[in-house]
Amino acid sequence: MTLLARAECRLKAHPLALDATLAAGVLLCMLAGSFVDPHGEHSVTWSLRSPDPLSLLLMTLGAVALVFRRSAPMTVLALTGAASVMESVTGDPRAPVAMSAVVALFTVAAATDRVTTVRAGLLTMTVLTGAAMLAGPLPWYAQENLGILAWTGIGATAGDAVRSRRVVVQAIRDRAERAERTREEEARRRVAEERLRIARDLHDVVAHHIALVNVQAGVAAHVMDKRPDQAKEALAHVREASRSALNELRATVGLLRQSGDPEAPTEPAPGLDRLDELAGTFRSAGLHVEVARTDHGTKLPAAVDLAAYRVIQEALTNVQKHAGTEAKAEVSVVRVGPNIEVTVLDNGRPAGDESPESGGGHGLLGMRERVSALRGTLTTGPRYGGGFRVHAILPVKTRTATMGDSA
């Protein structure tokens, strides 16, 4: 079986050699069939009759033509058909030259479309059968004449079936390749989205806590000699901010662990329920923050709750970094119809001075991406007379939450 498989693979790799082998097999079958001499209506006897020289020549020409059946199928069909017609008219008894025409018709049907197959099949059957019935030495109703009709029909049908199967297999292969490309593109898209989400989380965590650490460390260095108690308090705030940063970084990096790694932290993501705690961290850093809320009793989806918290966190961090030491910030969270609106205002530097938009960071971009991912809107810009304004409108019900409720 191994040797046969290797031989088959070699033949498939060299189509001309395969066609030459097929032509040799067809020639042998035609030569063997030429020794069959029918006698009577219901009996077949074998004799030592040798084929006529013309029949032998026609069989050889038909077999040689089959060697080129792939490169010129219609030409080969015409040559083998002409040889079959000549044998049907002159041969008595006939040699099975029509076998080469059947193989050629099969090749045409397998290599072309159905319309061409029907036309070539009908023409071949009509010409070969008509010539045998009308001009041949046998009666028109002889079995040999009907056999030509049957075998040409079988050749065309078998070739069309092979072509149809090849088309179906190719279509299945194309669909599989498209599905594989779609899966790869979807996987790349999901990886990119996850990378962007993690980058936003890391930016929010690091920017917020490092800003607080920077402010408190500056305070401690300034009052270390004259007011050591206040310096200790500032260092305590530095320690608390760094601990919070480490905890949030650990929770975020835990998302990147593999399935075999230790279990990731299960601390819930922050939301508006921790808004007072967030404002307290900024107050401890010296920023005057006022909070006003009218959204009590509103249950937000986790994604909206986290986005609102991160927008406020990033906006207050920008106030801490850009608005100056005397700045005041106002935070409002209001439920307006199907949306929740988050606004952060400050009265920092006058218009024209440094603002978050001119800092070259990724804070505003990250906020905009978070809000856009939830089909919300974010507007930012300087206020008239100085300061900055961040305003986010987030839908209370996201598409995911709505589908979950309807289920």
Side-chain angles (χ1 to χ4, degrees):
M1 293 297 293
T2 303
L3 294 176
L4 290 176
R6 291 179 180 176
E8 183 179 359
C9 292
R10 291 178 180 176
L11 289 175
K12 288 183 178 180
H14 301 83
L16 190 62
L18 178 61
D19 291 338
T21 304
L22 175 63
V26 172
L27 179 60
L28 291 176
C29 292
M30 289 190 294
L31 289 175
S34 64
F35 288 95
V36 178
D37 186 14
H39 296 284
E41 296 182 356
H42 303 289
S43 63
V44 177
T45 60
W46 292 82
S47 66
L48 297 177
R49 178 186 67 87
S50 297
D52 296 333
L54 180 59
S55 299
L56 184 60
L57 177 61
L58 293 175
M59 286 187 290
T60 303
L61 291 177
V64 172
L66 292 179
V67 177
F68 308 97
R69 66 189 185 95
R70 295 178 190 267
S71 58
M74 297 300 295
T75 302
V76 171
L77 177 61
L79 292 177
T80 55
S84 300
V85 169
M86 188 176 298
E87 174 64 20
S88 298
V89 174
T90 61
D92 187 21
R94 296 174 186 164
V97 180
M99 184 180 297
S100 60
V102 172
V103 176
L105 181 58
F106 169 87
T107 303
V108 170
T112 59
D113 56 277
R114 180 161 296 175
V115 175
T116 304
T117 299
V118 171
R119 292 175 178 175
L122 289 177
L123 180 61
T124 303
M125 285 188 290
T126 302
V127 172
L128 267 62
T129 306
M133 288 182 175
L134 299 178
L138 299 177
W140 67 270
Y141 53 83
Q143 294 182 356
E144 287 84 350
N145 298 334
L146 299 178
I148 294 175
L149 177 66
W151 280 107
T152 50
I154 291 174
T157 303
D160 184 71
V162 171
R163 181 196 57 79
S164 300
R165 181 181 180 277
R166 188 183 299 130
V167 170
V168 171
V169 171
Q170 185 62 37
I172 294 174
R173 185 179 293 111
D174 292 341
R175 285 198 298 269
E177 292 177 355
R178 287 195 299 269
E180 184 65 23
R181 287 195 299 268
T182 302
R183 284 194 296 269
E184 292 177 356
E185 293 173 358
E186 178 69 15
R188 286 194 295 268
R189 185 186 65 82
R190 290 181 180 273
V191 168
E193 290 180 352
E194 184 66 13
R195 185 184 297 114
L196 182 60
R197 187 188 67 80
I198 293 174
R200 286 197 300 260
D201 288 340
L202 288 176
H203 173 271
D204 292 341
V205 172
V206 172
H208 166 60
H209 291 290
I210 295 302
L212 294 181
V213 168
N214 180 62
V215 172
Q216 296 293 345
V219 172
H222 182 69
V223 301
M224 178 67 72
D225 297 331
K226 297 180 180 180
R227 287 175 286 180
D229 293 339
Q230 187 175 353
K232 291 181 180 180
E233 182 180 353
L235 292 175
H237 288 307
V238 170
R239 182 179 180 184
E240 182 64 27
S242 60
R243 181 187 297 112
S244 299
L246 288 174
N247 290 336
E248 292 200 34
L249 284 174
R250 187 180 298 111
T252 302
V253 175
L255 298 175
L256 302 177
R257 291 178 175 172
Q258 301 297 327
S259 59
D261 290 338
E263 184 178 358
T266 57
E267 181 181 355
L272 292 180
D273 57 335
R274 294 175 55 182
L275 181 56
D276 293 336
E277 178 184 347
L278 176 66
T281 60
F282 283 98
R283 293 190 186 104
S284 64
L287 178 65
H288 182 74
V289 181
E290 295 181 0
V291 178
R293 300 183 62 178
T294 61
D295 65 319
H296 298 289
T298 301
K299 185 178 180 181
L300 299 177
V304 176
D305 202 18
L306 175 61
Y309 178 88
R310 292 301 189 194
V311 167
I312 297 173
Q313 182 186 51
E314 179 61 28
L316 291 178
T317 300
N318 288 335
V319 175
Q320 183 80 45
K321 292 166 57 179
H322 302 284
T325 57
E326 302 298 329
K328 295 181 181 180
E330 299 177 2
V331 179
S332 65
V333 181
V334 182
R335 171 70 183 269
V336 181
N339 302 319
I340 186 167
E341 298 187 9
V342 175
T343 307
V344 179
L345 306 174
D346 71 80
N347 62 345
R349 298 181 185 273
D353 288 2
E354 182 185 4
S355 68
E357 291 183 334
S358 62
H362 299 86
L364 294 179
L365 178 61
M367 284 193 290
R368 199 174 306 279
E369 290 173 346
R370 284 185 182 277
V371 174
S372 299
L374 299 173
R375 299 182 180 274
T377 57
L378 177 75
T379 56
T380 61
R383 301 173 62 192
Y384 179 77
F388 202 77
R389 177 177 182 269
V390 175
H391 181 67
I393 301 177
L394 297 168
V396 174
K397 291 185 179 181
T398 62
R399 178 181 297 182
T400 304
T402 304
M403 292 176 61
D405 295 339
S406 63

